[in-house]
Amino acid sequence: MDPGQGTRAGAACSCVCIFTNVLWDCCCKNSNMSNGQVIRAAQMFVKHGAGASKGVNLKAEMAMGLTLGLGVGLTWKVYHWNEKRKQAEYYTTLARLEKQKE
């Protein structure tokens, strides 16, 4: 159904729905809207300016993301370096013990 056209040819709609500032005809058989009532979802349920984030500091957000990323990444790398060191120590100890047995 194209916006601006009713469900029946030549029929006038009894309501107009407004969602995010776009007009759409909401002509349907089960419509409870009558007498040209208008639904303004954004205006009725959200206070003006409440949906927008105020005071967002892009530089601070980037700095926090960079800091957290580097911190977690460094922790990950240190863990794996320690695991690699433990494995190397294990195999050197194993090789030393095999030499002692011979």
Side-chain angles (χ1 to χ4, degrees):
M1 177 172 63
D2 293 331
Q5 295 180 354
T7 55
R8 295 176 302 219
C13 285
S14 62
C15 65
V16 175
C17 299
I18 302 173
F19 293 104
T20 63
N21 300 328
V22 177
L23 293 172
W24 294 87
D25 291 344
C26 57
C27 295
C28 59
K29 295 177 185 176
N30 297 327
S31 176
N32 292 332
M33 305 300 283
S34 61
N35 300 328
Q37 291 179 337
V38 176
I39 298 173
R40 287 185 175 87
Q43 291 85 1
M44 286 173 51
F45 301 113
V46 178
K47 292 181 182 179
H48 180 69
S53 299
K54 292 186 178 182
V56 175
N57 189 352
L58 182 62
K59 290 180 183 177
E61 293 281 336
M62 289 173 59
M64 285 187 279
L66 184 65
T67 303
L68 287 172
L70 288 174
V72 171
L74 182 63
T75 303
W76 184 261
K77 289 299 282 184
V78 167
Y79 171 76
H80 283 93
W81 288 335
N82 286 335
E83 289 296 314
K84 186 177 180 180
R85 181 184 49 82
K86 288 177 188 177
Q87 289 176 358
E89 287 177 5
Y90 172 78
Y91 286 113
T92 54
T93 305
L94 188 65
R96 188 171 28 117
L97 290 175
E98 285 182 0
K99 275 190 176 180
Q100 287 178 355
K101 286 183 181 179
E102 293 176 359

